[in-house]
Amino acid sequence: MKTKTIKAILFSLIICLLQADLFAQTGTGFKVTNVFHIASSGGWDYIAVGPGNNRLYVSHGTQVNILDETTGDSVGVIPNTTGVHGIAFVPSIGKGYTSNGRLNNITVFDLKTNQVLSQINAGTNPDAIMYDGFSKLIITCNGRSNDLSLIDPVTEKLLATIPVGGKPETAVSDQNGKIFVNIEDKNEIISIDINQKKILNRWSLSPSEGPTGLAIDLKNNRLFAGCEKTLVVLNASTGAVMERIPIGDGCDGVAFDPALGWAFASCGVGLLSIVQEKNGKYELLQNLSTKASARTIALNETTHTLYLPAGEFQKNSTPGTRPPLVPGTFQVLVVKQ
């Protein structure tokens, strides 16, 4: 064999090995592809993808910023939502809802015009908010009154309050009559019969602590609870813990992509932990570097695009308090394959 041929073969092998190593490091192919900058001031919590309107709704201080999902351009604002945490939608009636933690209420707005329509009283410090398509109710997790508010989006009336015995952080629905809620300060998940409006089960997550983000795999009946440095996978029927997967610290949001079959945990240390099921076991696929403070997440299931709000905090602050945001640094990271 000629020397040039041998060199060519060796060169090709080296390239293949480098490509294989690169794939092993990137794993899923997901990466940060864009950054949307938002100039207004204030903190943030949840972010939500609008219902087929190419809109991204970003909680931010005393308002919700609405961005074009493709370009990041500002297309509107929902004002006077002081302490806003989350955003939910009822497309069938063309309305959106924000949970306003410091006002103890919900703002109702028009999905087409962004005009504020009304406000509804909720529990104390409404945090996460969701629309359950099965019961056709808006549900808020009230962090200080330790209960859930169940609201009819058509009449805009509070129909019921369900005490949950701890701080409810996030709720998801199985779309068949059950609601699952992370109880952050009790290290547990509860299941609720939404028709009877009563708690069915309490499932301990110990030794995992501080469950915040929560997602559900409807097809395989699995729950994904983001805890401190751990993503806990549970059987949604029995509450049995199937796996505890090490993830980054500071997780406050979990998403599940049903088409890919992957769970995503956004961690405040600046990592996006991506988990897959393989042969009945769950494993970490990748820890993607994002940005410190990127702790919540929203998923567009159609485009498989993830959105993570983040910012930079001032270094000098009062010990034991959250440092203020550096003006002009609030942004949304766009993550996709």
Side-chain angles (χ1 to χ4, degrees), residues 163-176:
V164 294
K167 182 183 179 184
E169 182 66 16
T170 315
V172 296
S173 169
D174 72 352
Q175 302 300 323
N176 197 35

Side-chain angles (χ1 to χ4, degrees), residues 3 8 23 25 53 138 179 197 211 239 285-286 294 313 315 335:
T3 303
F23 180 78
Q25 291 182 44
N53 59 359
I138 291 288
I179 302 295
K197 301 176 179 56
L285 270 177
Q286 181 183 2
F313 293 104
K315 294 182 179 179
V335 178

Side-chain angles (χ1 to χ4, degrees), residues 72-102:
D73 294 337
S74 176
V75 294
V77 169
I78 309 299
N80 304 319
T81 61
T82 305
V84 59
H85 287 282
I87 308 98
F89 313 98
V90 185
S92 61
I93 59 175
K95 293 180 181 180
Y97 305 80
T98 73
S99 52
N100 310 321
R102 294 186 182 179

Side-chain angles (χ1 to χ4, degrees), residues 259-279:
L260 296 175
W262 294 346
F264 301 84
S266 51
C267 307
V269 291
L271 290 176
L272 178 64
S273 297
I274 306 175
V275 170
Q276 74 165 354
E277 182 272 333
K278 187 176 181 180
N279 299 324

